[in-house]
Amino acid sequence: MAYKEVIYPAEKDGFYALLREQVELYTRDSPDLISALANASAVIKLAFSEANWVGFYLVDGDGLKLGPFQGRPAVPRIGYGLGVCGTAWKRREAIAVEEVACFEGHIACDCNTHSELVVPLFAGGEVCAVLDMDSTVPAYFGEEDKRGMEEVGRVVERFF
Ligand code: SME
């Protein structure tokens, strides 16, 4: 299926409704988890003009391993409770960081990053992965984005 450019509404409800539709559309025929997450990361990255990294870390034993993403090369493994990703896993809740330099234990992958949003995904009541987004703009992600991206995450949870 050829990708068709869409114009996202500036207003958040409309933005996240369209983003959920787009993620559903481009993951629908995925043969497996990796294919689904690869297209999901591409669709999400295209939706956020100021996101410099969008991707997934998958729970693997006592750590997270790097999964499909869009952006610069990133750290391949993150321990439970470490960094923003490992902390979101431990807390079982989304974390929006306005300025990564102020988050103790933040793991830097791209020195241009200022803000970050990490949303845990669940399978069978347990965290199975986290969706990680970085931006070069300070405080780029707010409370509405936390809630919006949690709903977007739900769209791919069925692949786990
Ligand atoms: N900043 C993350 C590490 C992953 S990169 O941002 C892609 C963290 O602190 O967990």
Side-chain angles (χ1 to χ4, degrees):
M1 183 204 312
Y3 178 72
K4 274 206 207 103
E5 221 44 73
V6 286
I7 310 286
Y8 283 93
E11 160 276 312
K12 298 274 186 182
D13 283 348
F15 175 91
Y16 280 106
L18 181 56
L19 182 54
R20 288 195 304 275
E21 269 178 42
Q22 288 283 293
V23 171
E24 161 59 27
L25 179 64
Y26 289 98
T27 57
R28 187 179 290 164
D29 298 326
S30 301
D32 68 7
L33 174 69
I34 297 301
S35 302
L37 299 187
N39 264 349
S41 61
V43 168
I44 297 166
K45 176 83 160 47
L46 284 165
F48 289 87
S49 57
E50 306 302 332
N52 58 330
W53 200 94
V54 172
F56 295 87
Y57 279 91
L58 313 179
V59 170
D60 178 42
D62 60 355
L64 294 165
K65 66 178 178 186
L66 182 61
F69 70 95
Q70 297 266 312
R72 291 186 172 177
V75 58
R77 198 163 173 84
I78 297 172
Y80 180 74
L82 302 180
V84 187
C85 291
T87 303
W89 176 17
K90 188 175 177 180
R91 290 186 193 165
R92 297 168 57 90
E93 64 183 27
I95 300 176
V97 178
E98 293 191 351
E99 179 48 70
V100 293
C102 300
F103 187 95
E104 203 183 319
H106 168 258
I107 300 164
C109 291
D110 181 338
C111 57
N112 297 308
T113 295
H114 277 282
S115 57
E116 182 161 2
L117 174 62
V118 180
V119 173
L121 307 185
F122 294 88
E126 296 301 320
V127 175
C128 55
V130 299
L131 168 52
D132 182 17
M133 304 175 67
D134 292 340
S135 174
T136 54
V137 177
Y140 185 56
F141 307 104
E143 285 303 312
E144 283 178 297
D145 301 299
K146 240 193 216 179
R147 285 193 297 276
M149 287 312 300
E150 281 172 343
E151 293 303 313
V152 171
R154 299 291 89 86
V155 179
V156 294
E157 282 176 347
R158 68 193 169 90
F159 289 98
F160 284 86

